[in-house]
């Protein structure tokens, strides 16, 4: 590998509607596994239980949560895809391991992909927030945000990114906003993340497979809105807010924090994840 870039995303927190993990899975494709992590060391199986298959009354297979790094090449770029289940345990030790791996694999840049609940409607363009560890990493058209202080519960992804940048590897992050009612998935956000990644790396990444999925989901959300007066009113308010802020609204830190707090309350009450 030469000048490899590491793209990281974990499912769970900062993966609303599984949009980010869907995006990195699409990019990784059938890439070769180059690093794995001991699941017994980083997962609490009572909160993230392995999946058991029972075939005709016989226990046949266990699927354990996994955390892996895959290698793929797109054009002339070597990509390392760091993805899987968000670890429950030993985050600081894992962060130190990530720093070691980044150095050993010659990674030139870390890229985080995520998805967060936002005050956005499925009828509008997907807003994508951008972060950067220092100036000069982004194209002139990309502005880090949101402005002001944003204080939220951290994801393991952010813990690892900060450890890596602290050791000298630059990092950027792209975080798509997902409608609060997106309970069946949101391929539009996955496509938006892949588009930002492709532009940032200046490589082509095909998304035809996701485009068909996005059209089907959009039609299902349209049907749900048409049949539910309360949801219709919610979407109308979100569209009005987007109209006030332009085609691609970015919330303030306070607004985004409120959306995330509402998301956490729904999770605690046993509601569906957006």
């Amino acid at each position: 590998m030469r000048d490899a870039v590491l793209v990281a995303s974990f499912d769970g927190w900062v993966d609303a509607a599984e949009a980010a993990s869907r995006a990195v899975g699409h990019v990784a494709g059938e890439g070769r596994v180059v690093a794995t992590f001991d699941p017994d060391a980083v997962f609490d199986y009572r909160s993230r239980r392995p999946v058991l298959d029972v075939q005709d009354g016989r226990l046949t297979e266990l699927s354990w949560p996994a955390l892996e790094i895959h290698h793929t090449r797109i054009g002339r770029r070597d990509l390392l895809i760091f993805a899987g289940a968000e670890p429950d345990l030993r985050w600081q030790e894992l962060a130190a391991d990530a720093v070691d791996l980044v150095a050993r694999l010659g990674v030139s840049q870390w890229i985080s992909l995520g998805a967060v609940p936002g005050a956005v409607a499925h009828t509008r363009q997907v807003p994508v927030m951008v972060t950067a560890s220092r100036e000069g990493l982004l194209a002139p058209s990309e502005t880090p945000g949101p402005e002001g202080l944003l204080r939220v519960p951290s994801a393991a992804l952010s813990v690892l990114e900060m450890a890596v940048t602290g050791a000298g590897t630059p990092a950027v992050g792209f975080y798509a906003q997902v409608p609060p009612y997106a309970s069946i998935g949101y391929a539009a956000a996955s496509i938006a993340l892949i588009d930002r990644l492709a532009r940032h790396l200046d490589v082509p990444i095909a998304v035809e497979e996701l485009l068909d999925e996005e059209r089907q989901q959009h039609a299902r959300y349209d049907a749900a809105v048409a049949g539910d007066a309360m949801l219709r009113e919610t979407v109308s308010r979100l569209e009005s807010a987007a109209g006030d802020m332009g085609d691609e609204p970015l919330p303030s830190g306070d607004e985004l924090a409120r959306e995330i707090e509402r998301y956490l309350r729904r999770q605690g009450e046993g509601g569906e994840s957006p």
Side-chain angles (χ1 to χ4, degrees):
M1 295 185 298
R2 296 181 181 178
D3 196 32
V5 172
L6 187 146
V7 181
S9 181
F10 306 145
D11 71 10
W13 185 230
V14 195
D15 189 27
E18 301 180 352
S21 55
R22 184 84 171 86
V24 294
H26 181 82
V27 174
E30 300 298 322
R32 181 172 62 93
V33 175
V34 297
T36 62
F37 297 81
D38 178 8
D40 282 357
V42 295
F43 296 121
D44 175 358
Y45 295 133
R46 289 175 298 178
S47 64
R48 188 186 289 275
R49 295 181 182 273
V51 176
L52 172 66
D53 287 348
V54 182
Q55 180 68 45
D56 298 326
R58 184 169 63 90
L59 310 188
T60 57
E61 186 175 357
L62 278 171
S63 299
W64 296 89
L67 190 60
E68 299 175 332
I69 298 179
H70 294 244
H71 170 254
T72 189
R73 181 174 286 117
I74 299 178
R76 297 182 178 180
R77 297 304 301 259
D78 282 300
L79 301 184
L80 294 166
I81 310 300
F82 190 3
E86 183 182 43
D88 301 298
L89 310 170
R90 302 166 73 173
W91 285 12
Q92 294 187 64
E93 185 177 351
L94 183 62
D97 287 343
V99 170
D100 179 58
L101 278 169
V102 162
R104 289 168 57 188
L105 295 171
V107 171
S108 63
Q109 186 173 126
W110 174 290
I111 302 175
S112 293
L113 297 186
V116 296
V120 297
H122 75 282
T123 54
R124 294 291 188 263
Q125 181 180 352
V126 177
V128 178
M129 297 181 299
V130 185
T131 63
S133 62
R134 67 180 189 223
E135 293 183 359
L137 296 175
L138 301 170
S141 60
E142 299 277 16
T143 302
E147 295 182 356
L149 175 65
L150 173 61
R151 179 170 289 157
V152 295
S154 177
L157 179 66
S158 301
V159 173
L160 271 60
E161 179 184 321
M162 290 189 69
V164 168
T165 58
T169 300
V172 300
F174 300 103
Y175 299 89
Q177 293 183 60
V178 172
Y181 52 84
S183 59
I184 60 170
Y186 201 56
S190 303
I191 293 168
L193 289 172
I194 293 171
D195 177 66
R196 289 300 182 95
L197 177 65
R199 281 191 280 155
H200 180 72
L201 296 177
D202 192 25
V203 297
I205 305 178
V207 294
E208 283 77 11
E209 171 188 334
L210 293 174
L211 286 172
D212 185 56
E213 184 178 334
E214 188 277 330
R215 284 190 288 268
Q216 294 179 30
Q217 289 176 351
H218 192 104
R220 291 180 65 182
Y221 287 128
D222 282 346
V225 169
D228 187 317
M230 184 175 296
L231 181 56
R232 191 158 56 248
E233 175 62 23
T234 297
V235 171
S236 177
R237 289 200 304 269
L238 294 173
E239 288 175 334
S240 297
D244 293 339
M245 293 184 283
D247 291 335
E248 191 172 346
L250 288 175
S252 69
D254 288 342
E255 290 169 338
L256 184 58
R258 284 195 294 271
E259 286 301 316
I260 293 175
E261 286 169 2
R262 281 194 283 269
Y263 170 80
L264 285 172
R265 283 198 297 271
R266 286 196 299 272
Q267 293 290 82
E269 293 166 359
E272 278 191 313
S273 171

